[in-house]
Amino acid sequence: MNRGLWLGAGAYILWGLLPLYLKLLTGVPAVQVLAHRVVWSLLLLAIVVLVLGRLRTVRAAARGRTLALLGASATLIAINWLTYIWAVQHAHVLEASLGYFINPLVNVALGVAVLGERVSRVQRVAVGIAAAGVLVMALSGGGAIWISLVLAVSFGLYGLIRKVAAIDALGGLTIETLLLAPLSLVVLAYAGAAGNAAFGQERSADLLLILAGPVTAAPLLLFAAAARRLTLATLGLLQYLGPTLQFAEAVLIFGEPLRPVHIVTFAAIWTGCALYAWDAWRQSRMVAAIA
């Protein structure tokens, strides 16, 4: 349990600190950052799969329906990553953090609508309060709400697909990255032919782009290890570490303006998230007591 907490906290803290890394690549077009993220992640994941002796297992799982689902999830995670990179580079970290605060509640809505999952009255109220906050921001025009919605919905749908795909976290991420690699290589080749390639211009930028591999893979692998050791309720509480850190960085480090509409929206989102987390924790305690 303690090890799982450290692993989970480490994953979400790394995700929360990701804007600090991406800010260093502001001069690199977002689509090139994404392409490098895919290519260097694939290299690292391939090494991990080979070292662990998982190649045969991954190849056996990635076929038929599972491969089709991973194609869809790869598209969604690429949209999510590209939107997030662009948001950080263009001073929209506040909206990005809002998207990841909304995401757990989007997951609840998708679970009900698609999987037929049952939720408690408290959880329905939590989703309603969060939705009201998003509506306030959308109607006021107080920020790029589309960023928040694209991030929340794309990652929610990604999670839904990965939930039903019959493959583990490492294998799934490896195949997704492999599917995105050809287009990523085309992007990098086109940038090189056009003389716009960021790689090869400065040693510091090259090193940062190479680091995109471990920066992407490390928190995902930590999360996969934590998920095997912790309850979903505990993971649900830990996941707010990431967007909380992003919010703090946006205001305290990057100096993004915190307008009244942001305060109202975040207050509603935080209230909804707190209600949802409390109810999930309460239900897990009841189940544990019965067991």
Side-chain angles (χ1 to χ4, degrees):
M1 179 68 174
N2 288 335
R3 187 177 182 186
L5 284 172
W6 282 108
L7 291 168
Y12 285 112
I13 288 172
L14 287 176
W15 276 323
L17 297 176
L18 185 58
L20 299 176
Y21 164 76
L22 293 176
K23 277 290 186 179
L24 298 174
L25 292 168
T26 299
V28 181
V31 68
Q32 288 191 44
V33 176
L34 173 60
H36 278 285
R37 194 172 184 180
V38 169
V39 170
W40 296 111
S41 295
L42 178 59
L43 179 61
L44 178 61
L45 289 167
I47 293 172
V48 172
V49 168
L50 290 173
V51 169
L52 295 179
R54 298 284 301 281
L55 180 59
R56 182 176 297 178
T57 304
V58 172
R59 289 177 59 185
R63 61 181 60 187
R65 178 175 180 269
T66 299
L67 185 60
L69 288 172
L70 290 175
S73 64
T75 302
L76 287 165
I77 200 62
I79 293 171
N80 184 273
W81 284 352
L82 183 60
T83 304
Y84 187 79
I85 294 166
W86 186 93
V88 173
Q89 291 185 341
H90 291 80
H92 289 294
V93 180
L94 268 179
E95 285 85 354
S97 69
L98 174 60
Y100 288 111
F101 274 119
I102 298 172
N103 174 247
L105 305 177
V106 170
N107 291 341
V108 175
L110 288 173
V112 172
V114 180
L115 301 179
E117 295 179 350
R118 299 180 63 182
V119 297
S120 68
R121 182 177 301 176
V122 173
Q123 291 173 338
R124 287 196 294 269
V125 171
V127 173
I129 293 173
V134 174
L135 183 61
V136 167
M137 189 166 175
L139 293 177
S140 70
I145 189 64
W146 67 268
I147 294 174
S148 308
L149 295 177
V150 168
L151 290 175
V153 173
S154 63
F155 203 66
L157 291 171
Y158 172 79
L160 176 65
I161 291 174
R162 288 302 304 272
K163 183 178 178 66
V164 299
I167 193 168
D168 65 2
L170 175 60
L173 180 61
T174 302
I175 297 300
E176 287 168 348
T177 311
L178 182 63
L179 292 173
L180 293 172
L183 182 57
S184 298
L185 291 172
V186 169
V187 167
L188 296 178
Y190 178 80
N196 298 322
F199 195 83
Q201 302 299 319
E202 295 182 11
R203 184 173 299 177
S204 59
D206 292 350
L207 180 59
L208 286 170
L209 289 170
I210 292 172
L211 283 174
V215 165
T216 299
L220 287 165
L221 295 176
L222 287 173
F223 173 80
R228 293 194 297 268
R229 294 170 170 85
L230 298 176
T231 64
L232 288 177
T234 303
L235 280 175
L237 291 173
L238 286 175
Q239 70 184 335
Y240 298 115
L241 281 173
T244 299
L245 284 171
Q246 294 165 18
F247 176 87
E249 291 159 23
V251 176
L252 301 177
I253 298 177
F254 305 139
E256 293 186 17
L258 185 62
R259 302 183 180 92
V261 68
H262 286 129
I263 296 174
V264 172
T265 299
F266 274 101
I269 296 296
W270 285 329
T271 301
C273 289
L275 275 175
Y276 173 76
W278 172 80
D279 190 63
W281 175 81
R282 181 179 62 86
Q283 290 188 38
S284 70
R285 290 291 298 271
M286 291 173 60
V287 170
I290 294 173

